[in-house]
Amino acid sequence: MRTTELVSGFRQSAPYVNAHRGKTFVVMLGGEAIMQSGFRSIINDIALLNSLGIKVVLVYGARPQINAALQQAGLEPTYHNRVRVTDDDSFKLIKQVAGALQLDITARLSMSLSNTPMQGAQINVVSGNFVIAQPLGVDEGVDYHHSGRVRRIDAAGIRRQLDNNGIVLMGPIAASVTGESFNLTAEDIATQVAIKLKADKMIGFNEIGGIVGEDGEITAELMPNAAEQIMLQLEQQDDACTGTVAFLHAAISACRAGVPRCHLVSYDEDGALLQELFSRDGIGTQIVTESAEKLRQATISDIGGILDLIRPLEQQGLLVRRSREQLEMEINQFTLIERDGLVIGCAALYPFPEENVGEFACLAVHPDYRDADRGSTLLKAVIQQARQRKYNKLFALTTRSIHWFLEHGFELLTVEDLPAQKKQLYNYQRRSKILAITL
């Protein structure tokens, strides 16, 4: 029986469906994304998140649409310190643009045509006065007029709508306690909503699908400080980076305030949002408060994950076979690398305290993760443990990875150099090479 790609995809995404159900995501949909031909697919995918039990707050921006409307009306956009100055004439147009976009997005989310991803969907889209604004006022002698910032978020009101399975839709216009309206940025609203709701994720879009590193590839993960350096560099460039810079401003602030992960994905690649959220490696860039990968000591609950990792290598003869019972007894000797709940690497340190040495053993890395030198990471961790135990030497037995150990400072030894207990257990049929490093 042939396993189809559809079946395989379902199985791989199932853990993420379960993990995301009931979580709160704030999606920041910039005006740049709304302009694209793939906008309909993005809306369909956001609706799918809702159908999977994810609580979605959708914050939309309108920067390019507003600029186009102002230009058509013969009005020149005015900025001070990268913030729009919203005078009376421009504010009339801005409200029209924002209102039209709200209606368009609501209509898209209300669609339920046959033969579309929205078939049978009944989504309540809720908009309201969940954001209370205040004016920016005057800065360096420049009056911002109707430009404002977030003063307060009605988090309880938003949660009530989310608990009723609605999608909360927010635009860039918000009311104040004095009954006035102000023009805010989508990134300001998204940031404050994510923080106040204690959201699990914030998601944004740009053209290239993330942040490009020095190697020309999309950087999978950035900590806030590294993201800030990139943001400062991009701010010196032209307006093509506006969407990226806006998201980075929001993501950095949100992460530093406790939002665990902020994702930047492509608005140009069909299904990028789903690939980012429901596959192990994703497709975009994450701004994270801590790495998705964790190096830690193994516990008894990791037995299944370690067995899944080492069984294929045992079958190939690369590792000595270990039973579940043996692993349970030795689990305290193991260090592992975990990524999103999956054990992707492990190694063990077996003690020989009589000779004051340790054995580096059972090194295994998941085949999908062998290109980032995780084996070296595990070796460094085990060497550190051996030094803490005051061992003089660390040895290893291998049949295939001799050069890898030599590159890491190990030297070839003989059977006679092994600790007495290990010497008695040496398998002469297997004929493993013996290497050691002095600590």
Side-chain angles (χ1 to χ4, degrees):
M1 181 176 177
R2 184 170 58 89
T3 301
T4 66
E5 290 185 12
L6 177 65
V7 172
S8 178
F10 263 115
R11 288 172 177 167
Q12 291 180 19
S13 63
Y16 296 95
V17 173
N18 295 328
H20 296 332
R21 186 179 293 115
K23 299 297 176 62
T24 301
F25 294 179
V26 175
V27 180
M28 190 173 91
L29 193 62
E32 295 84 2
I34 296 173
M35 293 172 62
Q36 307 306 312
S37 58
F39 168 59
R40 175 178 292 189
S41 294
I42 294 174
I43 291 295
N44 289 344
D45 291 344
I46 290 171
L48 178 58
L49 299 184
N50 175 262
S51 71
L52 293 173
I54 296 168
K55 299 176 180 180
V56 178
V57 178
L58 178 55
V59 181
Y60 69 90
R63 188 177 288 110
Q65 290 86 350
I66 289 170
N67 286 342
L70 292 176
Q71 184 178 10
Q72 189 173 4
L75 299 174
E76 187 70 28
T78 305
Y79 292 87
H80 177 66
N81 289 335
R82 297 182 179 274
V83 177
R84 187 189 298 276
V85 175
T86 309
D87 59 21
D88 291 342
D89 291 335
S90 61
F91 195 38
K92 292 176 183 177
L93 281 175
I94 289 170
K95 287 191 285 187
Q96 292 174 17
V97 170
L101 285 178
Q102 178 179 327
L103 293 173
D104 287 345
I105 295 171
T106 301
R108 294 283 189 195
L109 288 169
S110 303
M111 186 173 63
S112 59
L113 293 176
S114 298
N115 301 318
T116 73
M118 302 288 285
Q119 180 178 350
Q122 293 183 338
I123 300 172
N124 292 321
V125 182
V126 183
S127 299
N129 58 339
F130 300 113
V131 178
I132 299 300
Q134 61 183 345
L136 287 176
V138 179
D139 178 41
E140 297 176 346
V142 176
D143 190 343
Y144 283 107
H145 297 286
H146 300 284
S147 293
R149 62 175 177 267
V150 173
R151 177 179 182 181
R152 188 168 64 244
I153 301 290
D154 181 9
I158 296 172
R159 288 194 191 97
R160 282 195 295 270
Q161 302 304 325
L162 296 177
D163 290 341
N164 287 331
N165 202 35
I167 290 180
V168 175
L169 177 63
M170 297 179 173
I173 307 300
S176 71
V177 294
T178 61
E180 300 173 274
S181 296
F182 290 93
N183 176 31
L184 283 65
T185 63
E187 53 267 30
D188 183 24
I189 295 174
T191 302
Q192 295 305 317
V193 168
I195 292 170
K196 297 302 181 185
L197 289 180
K198 295 181 171 59
D200 300 281
K201 294 181 185 292
M202 185 167 71
I203 301 164
F205 299 84
N206 73 351
E207 182 178 6
I208 55 179
I211 303 299
V212 177
E214 294 180 357
D215 59 358
E217 300 293 327
I218 296 295
T219 303
E221 185 177 286
L222 288 168
M223 304 295 260
N225 287 349
E228 186 173 36
Q229 293 302 312
I230 293 171
M231 180 189 71
L232 293 174
Q233 293 172 12
L234 291 177
E235 282 184 333
Q236 306 304 315
Q237 300 176 14
D238 59 29
D239 289 339
C241 294
T242 299
T244 305
V245 169
F247 173 79
L248 287 175
H249 269 289
I252 293 163
S253 298
C255 278
R256 286 174 173 168
V259 177
R261 296 187 185 184
C262 298
H263 302 254
L264 182 61
V265 297
S266 172
Y267 55 61
D268 215 25
E269 183 171 349
D270 187 28
L273 175 61
L274 301 183
Q275 290 186 67
E276 175 70 6
L277 294 176
F278 297 102
S279 65
R280 189 177 300 129
D281 295 325
I283 195 174
T285 297
Q286 291 186 64
I287 315 299
V288 297
T289 52
E290 61 180 22
S291 177
E293 290 188 13
K294 297 178 182 178
L295 179 73
R296 62 175 176 82
Q297 292 300 116
T299 66
I300 198 72
S301 63
D302 297 312
I303 294 289
I306 294 174
L307 283 172
D308 289 342
L309 189 64
I310 67 176
R311 281 293 182 252
L313 298 176
E314 291 174 350
Q315 292 167 3
Q316 296 171 40
L318 300 178
L319 290 178
V320 175
R321 186 171 181 82
R322 290 168 173 80
S323 66
R324 176 179 285 271
E325 292 75 17
Q326 182 182 355
L327 268 177
E328 288 176 355
M329 290 187 293
E330 298 175 347
I331 193 63
N332 291 334
Q333 318 293 356
F334 277 78
T335 299
L336 56 81
I337 299 175
E338 177 190 51
R339 182 181 180 89
D340 285 340
L342 176 75
V343 177
I344 64 168
C346 70
L349 172 59
Y350 291 120
F352 293 87
E354 295 82 2
E355 286 90 347
N356 206 29
V357 300
E359 179 185 6
F360 178 69
C362 200
L363 174 63
V365 177
H366 192 286
D368 292 344
Y369 297 92
R370 289 177 183 164
D371 59 351
D373 221 10
R374 292 176 176 86
S376 298
T377 299
L378 287 163
L379 175 59
K380 290 176 183 176
V382 170
I383 287 175
Q384 181 65 25
Q385 293 172 25
R387 284 175 173 155
Q388 289 173 353
R389 297 181 188 183
K390 309 297 184 184
Y391 291 165
N392 295 323
K393 190 175 291 185
L394 186 71
F395 71 90
L397 276 66
T398 182
T399 57
R400 303 281 185 88
S401 304
I402 301 165
H403 283 195
W404 185 85
F405 280 102
L406 292 174
E407 288 172 0
H408 285 81
F410 283 71
E411 297 178 350
L412 284 165
L413 300 180
T414 67
V415 176
E416 296 304 316
D417 297 311
L418 289 172
Q421 182 183 354
K422 188 68 179 181
K423 192 185 306 181
Q424 294 174 1
L425 299 173
Y426 182 79
N427 187 334
Y428 283 91
Q429 289 184 325
R430 187 173 171 82
R431 298 179 64 186
S432 298
K433 298 294 183 181
I434 301 161
L435 300 101
I437 187 171
T438 301
L439 306 178

